[in-house]
Amino acid sequence: MQHSIYKGGQDSEIVQLFAQAFTDTEGKKEGALIGNLVHTLLKITPTQDIRVFTTSKEEKIVGGVIFSKMRFNQSTVNAWLLSPAAVVPSVQGTGVGQGLIQHAHQFLKNEGAQVLITYGDIRFYSKVGYKPISEQVIPAPLRLSYPEGWIAQSLEGKEINPIKGKSFCAEALNNSVYW
Ligand SMILES: CC(C)(COP(=O)(O)OP(=O)(O)OC[C@H]1O[C@@H](n2cnc3c(N)ncnc32)[C@H](O)[C@@H]1OP(=O)(O)O)[C@@H](O)C(=O)NCCC(=O)NCCS
């Protein structure tokens, strides 16, 4: 397995990976929704605001994770939102997802990222350092239908300094269906 930063040229393979993984675990409708999200994230997000990481096995992409920049109107903290992540069903549960996400975290840390946030299942994301946070610590960009899934970590080895005001996510994620 080889984890790396994605430099372009395989967008449709990546979209297909996400659509397949989410269809398998959550059904056809969710698969189509997440496939479309990934397509849009790759298409419209300015290069400086997106980092895509993939895992390959024998030249085939078997895992992917996308981070996009979060911004705040009252803070300049360097923060990124992990959404979404997927591993092909045939290799799920073998450590690929955790390995890929840890690789991505190290890359982002080297670039100066300070805070990482995601919105998902704490039972998985706690394995790669995420902890529940309140919206008093990091405001969510849209209303959360599942506030327990709002989770984050500092890459600076300290507590996250509460951020006041409003937050803003990438345009592709700025839709209540994802929240
Ligand atoms: C979630 C996902 C990315 C994890 O990748 P993976 O390669 O299967 O995960 P890993 O093998 O690295 O780690 C899985 C560990 O998390 C645990 N876990 C808990 N809840 C889990 C969950 N909802 N999904 C996957 N693993 C979960 C597993 O028990 C396992 O624990 P262990 O290491 O102690 O055995 C992958 O299963 C996937 O693509 N799922 C479908 C899409 C999805 O739900 N994506 C996440 C939302 S953005």
Side-chain angles (χ1 to χ4, degrees):
M1 302 282 179
Q2 172 79 38
H3 306 304
S4 47
I5 176 104
Y6 173 62
K7 301 238 171 75
Q10 288 170 287
D11 283 17
S12 51
E13 203 183 327
I14 293 178
V15 170
Q16 187 50 39
L17 157 77
F18 279 91
Q20 188 198 335
F22 278 87
T23 299
D24 260 59
T25 52
E26 295 184 38
K28 220 172 166 179
K29 198 172 156 208
E30 188 72 6
L33 184 74
I34 303 300
N36 188 51
L37 167 64
V38 170
H39 171 79
T40 312
L41 270 167
L42 295 174
K43 198 168 167 193
I44 70 167
T45 314
T47 311
Q48 69 270 21
D49 287 356
I50 186 167
R51 299 289 180 274
V52 181
F53 302 87
T54 56
T55 302
S56 298
K57 184 185 174 190
E58 290 151 13
E59 308 207 349
K60 204 177 166 310
I61 297 178
V62 295
V65 60
I66 301 180
F67 287 80
S68 54
K69 194 89 170 79
M70 285 275 295
R71 291 201 166 78
F72 306 91
N73 65 347
Q74 294 183 31
S75 170
T76 56
V77 67
N78 188 334
W80 293 80
L81 180 76
L82 181 173
S83 180
V87 168
V88 288
S90 58
V91 298
Q92 279 177 15
T94 64
V96 172
Q98 290 176 62
L100 173 61
I101 291 169
Q102 267 148 3
H103 172 87
H105 288 177
Q106 193 56 50
F107 185 101
L108 290 164
K109 188 176 176 179
N110 292 346
E111 278 196 333
Q114 296 168 291
V115 171
L116 302 177
I117 308 158
T118 190
Y119 183 47
D121 190 339
I122 186 67
R123 289 171 303 165
F124 172 65
Y125 287 110
S126 61
K127 294 185 179 286
V128 285
Y130 292 86
K131 293 187 181 142
I133 39 152
S134 83
E135 291 184 67
Q136 271 73 52
V137 178
I138 302 181
L142 279 87
R143 199 185 70 78
L144 301 176
S145 58
Y146 170 62
E148 299 79 7
W150 190 234
I151 56 185
Q153 66 182 291
S154 164
L155 292 180
E156 299 178 305
K158 58 176 193 183
E159 291 282 297
I160 297 171
N161 264 335
I163 299 167
K164 293 200 170 62
K166 288 186 176 170
S167 69
F168 305 90
C169 62
E171 191 51 39
L173 281 158
N174 191 17
N175 184 326
S176 59
V177 289
Y178 303 121
W179 299 86

